[in-house]
Amino acid sequence: MDFEKEFIEKLIKKDQNAFNEFYLKTVDLFSRYLNTNYFLESSEIEDILADFYVKWRDVCDKYKFEQSFSAYVWTIFKNLLKDNFKKHKDIPFTSISSWSDENESFEDTLQDDLDIIDFLEEEFQFKQIEEAMHGLDSDSRELIYLKFVEWKDNNEISEIFWLSVDNIRQKIFRALKKLKEILKQQ
């Protein structure tokens, strides 16, 4: 989600054309995120997106340029999503800080992710990967989405999750490892 400073300034000033452009450039991104990570009907997704863009219009002027714009937008989106699940769902929304550390040593997580990525690319079709993603916890799905669909680097993801880069790297590794196990069982 890269926008030029000029464009962000227009958003902060609540320029209607800038909002329209922001919507057009981001709606597919957020829609794909919701489709990939949650079992929601299209009407629910549309409602969440509508709520997000209304909320975004209200709070975009609070953005400070020393922050990452992408992290700011994702934080607003995720907070709105959490609020939505609290209001409208009987299922609990997993909090960001609820990851469990699986007693793996730091050295175990230093393995190269390429062998896992190669395995995923060579052995399975996209549909199989998409189905297997539903076997992951919500945080793992979100990490994989941000890393491999959004192509965010670990620094950007660490800003979104408010965790260290090393912690993010370890969690991505664990998520990919779990995904690989699920795919092997299919």
Side-chain angles (χ1 to χ4, degrees):
M1 189 178 318
D2 288 329
F3 292 102
E4 294 179 9
K5 186 176 180 179
E6 257 181 41
F7 179 78
I8 296 170
E9 288 171 345
K10 288 179 182 178
L11 282 173
I12 290 170
K13 293 177 183 172
K14 301 198 180 211
D15 178 81
Q16 186 61 42
N17 290 331
F19 276 105
N20 291 342
E21 187 177 341
F22 178 79
Y23 172 82
L24 292 173
K25 288 184 176 182
T26 59
V27 69
D28 286 338
L29 170 84
F30 292 122
S31 181
R32 280 184 286 138
Y33 174 81
L34 292 170
N35 277 322
T36 303
N37 290 294
Y38 303 98
F39 298 102
L40 299 172
E41 294 185 22
S42 60
S43 61
E44 291 177 296
I45 290 173
E46 290 170 7
D47 290 345
I48 291 169
L49 291 174
D51 290 346
F52 166 70
Y53 287 105
V54 169
K55 176 74 172 177
W56 170 247
R57 186 169 177 88
D58 292 340
V59 300
C60 70
D61 58 345
K62 294 175 178 45
Y63 171 72
K64 305 289 185 234
F65 280 97
E66 58 271 4
Q67 298 172 282
S68 162
F69 182 74
S70 180
Y72 183 74
V73 173
W74 275 104
T75 300
I76 292 167
F77 181 75
K78 286 173 42 182
N79 287 341
L80 180 119
L81 191 58
K82 285 180 191 178
D83 291 344
N84 182 279
F85 276 103
K86 287 177 187 175
K87 289 179 195 171
H88 302 294
K89 295 286 180 190
D90 294 331
I91 56 172
F93 186 86
T94 306
S95 68
I96 291 172
S97 60
S98 68
W99 283 321
S100 64
D101 292 324
E102 301 173 359
N103 295 329
E104 288 182 277
S105 69
F106 178 75
E107 293 78 19
D108 291 340
T109 66
L110 293 178
Q111 297 175 12
D112 191 1
D113 290 349
L114 293 178
D115 62 331
I116 294 172
I117 294 168
D118 288 341
F119 171 81
L120 294 175
E121 289 176 348
E122 292 173 12
E123 300 293 326
F124 296 96
Q125 299 293 331
F126 175 75
K127 222 26 172 169
Q128 290 172 305
I129 294 171
E130 187 177 40
E131 289 173 15
M133 290 281 288
H134 293 295
L136 297 174
D137 62 89
S138 62
D139 291 329
S140 296
R141 284 193 308 266
E142 186 168 1
L143 281 168
I144 290 173
Y145 179 84
L146 291 171
K147 182 75 174 179
F148 299 104
V149 176
E150 282 286 304
W151 296 103
K152 294 199 177 296
D153 64 32
N154 291 353
N155 289 327
E156 291 173 302
I157 297 171
S158 75
E159 288 179 10
I160 293 169
F161 280 88
W162 298 355
L163 295 170
S164 72
V165 174
D166 286 338
N167 200 340
I168 291 297
R169 184 188 45 74
Q170 291 174 7
K171 295 197 182 299
I172 290 171
F173 172 80
R174 290 181 187 140
L176 289 171
K177 185 176 173 183
K178 178 68 174 168
L179 182 62
K180 182 177 178 181
E181 290 169 8
I182 292 169
L183 287 168
K184 280 185 174 181
Q185 293 172 4
Q186 287 184 342

